[in-house]
Amino acid sequence: MDNSSVGIVKTRTVDFDGDLRLESGRLLAAPITLAYETYGQLNAERSNAILVTHAWTGNAHAAGRHADDDRKAGWWDDMIGPGKVLDTSRYYVICSNVIGSCGGSTGPTSKNPRTGRPYNLSFPVIMVRDMVRAQKCLIDHLGLRTLVTVIGGSMGAMQALEWGVLYPEVVRSVIPIAGTGRTSPMAIALNALARQAIFNDPLWKKGNYRPEHPPADGLALGRAIGHISFLSNASMHLKFGRRFSARDGMFDFFGQFEVERYLEYNGRAFIDRFDTNAFLYLAKALDLYDVAWNFESRQQALERIRCPSLWFAFSSDWLYPPHEAEEVIDILRGLGKPVEYHLIQSDYGHDSFLVEPEKFTHFITGFLQRLGV
């Protein structure tokens, strides 16, 4: 067994009996289920908990393996474990699957308790703020009054920021990575193309597809569109260049470049692990994200944050480019909030926070040490 691994872990679920009032004004009917995993031990004072928040198509399985023969560890396994950045010999680390997803938490694939049938498109539109309110139910269930930090990348960064705004009395710090304070028109446009790819698949059937016959072509194409935005021109040159697939003839009309084959493979692999409607609902939540929602301004929203924040942006990220995080950081600094910011040079685009963690994790270690927990 790897001494730096959390080992074999299990995804657990908890059901909440109360309805959840959403930002839309609708109620998400009880019971509401959240899937989650924990790593490490809670200390006697219950003061060493860290919440990890996942990105768009992530889940609660952030570290370790579910079985000895699992080919892959959790999605942030290089960050979580004994002696790692989120050191489980020191911290009690929690990761929960967001509502609206398909990783065990209540989402469009769940049964509507009022009808006994899957929600499909009758599931209410959710926002990132709704995800965080559901997470607060989990934190309360675990008996935690404070969190050392909330840390996450991409959609996880949005959740971390929302924790600072919604629950300033709970969080001692937040660490948004490769995030934004509000989604740009370009990011919305890319998601719109992904949506149309799915809507135009005849098997989608306005969300009423059979699980055994999902709109695979539409979802694979939608995922490929999204995946392009996670990369960068430089990373594509590094990984693929202009190489033509060795199995195709260059003048075969349907022959493909290696980058084409990669996108096709990635899209096809995705349909085996993610639900189409969940993909759409989470894309909508991303599009709707604005930290100023229901406030008069971003300044008014960010004024609520009391804790230190540690921000990271990546030089080649064109999905949530550095200037979008810097706009939020400038407001926080103008409000006199304690902010630390690092612009990381990387060629790997939005995915840099997953591909090259070694470029920024030492800053996280130092930041957590200065918190004194």
Side-chain angles (χ1 to χ4, degrees):
M1 178 70 71
D2 180 358
N3 290 333
S4 66
S5 172
V6 297
I8 303 300
V9 298
K10 181 180 180 181
T11 302
R12 290 175 279 178
T13 59
V14 58
D15 294 332
F16 299 101
D17 293 333
D19 296 344
L20 181 67
R21 182 165 293 280
L22 304 173
E23 289 294 315
S24 64
R26 292 184 61 183
L27 289 178
L28 183 58
I32 296 167
T33 301
L34 279 189
Y36 69 101
E37 291 186 5
T38 63
Y39 321 103
Q41 299 295 320
L42 194 59
N43 64 14
E45 297 79 19
R46 310 183 78 81
S47 63
N48 66 331
I50 288 176
L51 178 65
V52 170
T53 48
H54 68 74
W56 183 0
T57 59
N59 53 36
H61 184 41
R65 284 175 163 78
H66 287 152
D68 287 327
D69 58 354
D70 277 1
R71 289 193 305 115
K72 282 188 174 182
W75 58 269
W76 231 11
D77 188 71
D78 54 359
M79 290 278 288
I80 302 168
K84 295 181 182 179
V85 182
L86 304 183
D87 186 350
T88 52
S89 62
R90 183 175 185 179
Y91 301 113
Y92 178 65
V93 181
I94 309 152
C95 183
S96 76
N97 184 231
V98 299
I99 56 170
S101 188
C102 55
S105 296
T106 296
T109 62
S110 305
K111 284 187 179 180
N112 183 339
R114 291 171 180 162
T115 67
R117 297 189 298 272
Y119 278 104
N120 295 335
L121 294 197
S122 69
F123 193 75
V125 170
I126 59 167
M127 299 181 73
V128 172
R129 196 163 290 172
D130 298 318
M131 301 173 189
V132 170
R133 286 205 171 96
Q135 288 166 355
K136 178 60 162 55
C137 294
L138 173 63
I139 296 306
D140 290 344
H141 168 77
L142 295 173
L144 303 174
R145 298 181 63 185
T146 64
L147 294 168
V148 175
T149 197
V150 181
I151 178 173
S154 193
M155 189 179 83
M158 300 174 185
Q159 295 167 67
L161 182 56
E162 287 294 311
W163 266 96
V165 171
L166 287 183
Y167 303 110
E169 74 284 358
V170 175
V171 292
R172 294 188 55 188
S173 67
V174 294
I175 307 178
I177 305 172
T180 181
R182 59 185 174 194
T183 304
S184 70
M186 188 202 72
I188 295 169
L190 290 169
N191 284 347
L193 291 178
R195 273 190 287 275
Q196 288 302 317
I198 292 168
F199 294 165
N200 289 333
D201 188 321
L203 291 180
W204 185 59
K205 300 179 180 179
K206 295 186 177 180
N208 294 312
Y209 51 87
R210 291 159 57 185
E212 64 271 23
H213 295 296
D217 290 343
L219 180 58
L221 179 54
R223 171 63 172 182
I225 292 167
H227 198 72
I228 291 170
S229 70
F230 306 154
L231 306 175
S232 71
N233 187 44
S235 69
M236 289 191 188
H237 271 288
L238 288 169
K239 191 175 181 73
F240 310 108
R242 286 181 45 83
R243 294 189 302 279
F244 210 79
S245 173
R247 71 183 73 177
D248 298 334
M250 184 174 292
F251 297 105
D252 176 353
F253 183 77
F254 292 102
Q256 294 181 310
F257 286 91
E258 288 291 352
V259 67
E260 292 179 274
R261 281 206 174 277
Y262 171 79
L263 291 172
E264 184 178 274
Y265 170 80
N266 186 275
R268 288 291 160 187
F270 184 68
I271 63 178
D272 293 330
R273 71 174 183 87
F274 216 84
D275 173 68
T276 307
N277 284 341
F279 180 83
L280 291 168
Y281 271 89
L282 296 183
K284 177 64 71 173
L286 288 168
D287 290 348
L288 292 173
Y289 185 64
D290 185 346
V291 71
W293 170 258
N294 269 345
F295 291 95
E296 291 183 2
S297 65
R298 284 194 288 179
Q299 284 82 354
Q300 187 186 56
L302 296 170
E303 176 64 56
R304 289 180 52 82
I305 296 177
R306 302 177 193 166
C307 65
S309 57
L310 172 63
W311 291 74
F312 296 98
F314 298 88
S315 58
S316 58
D317 185 350
W318 60 280
L319 179 62
Y320 301 141
H323 72 83
E324 293 185 7
E326 289 163 2
E327 289 173 0
V328 179
I329 292 160
D330 288 344
I331 294 171
L332 288 169
R333 285 175 172 162
L335 292 168
K337 308 293 184 180
V339 182
E340 183 178 334
Y341 169 58
H342 299 278
L343 175 59
I344 306 300
Q345 298 299 314
S346 175
D347 288 333
Y348 288 96
H350 186 63
D351 266 355
S352 295
F353 78 96
L354 295 171
V355 178
E356 294 189 311
E358 68 279 1
K359 287 192 171 182
F360 64 90
T361 48
H362 58 287
F363 293 116
I364 298 174
T365 301
F367 179 78
L368 292 177
Q369 288 174 346
R370 289 192 296 277
L371 290 176
V373 178

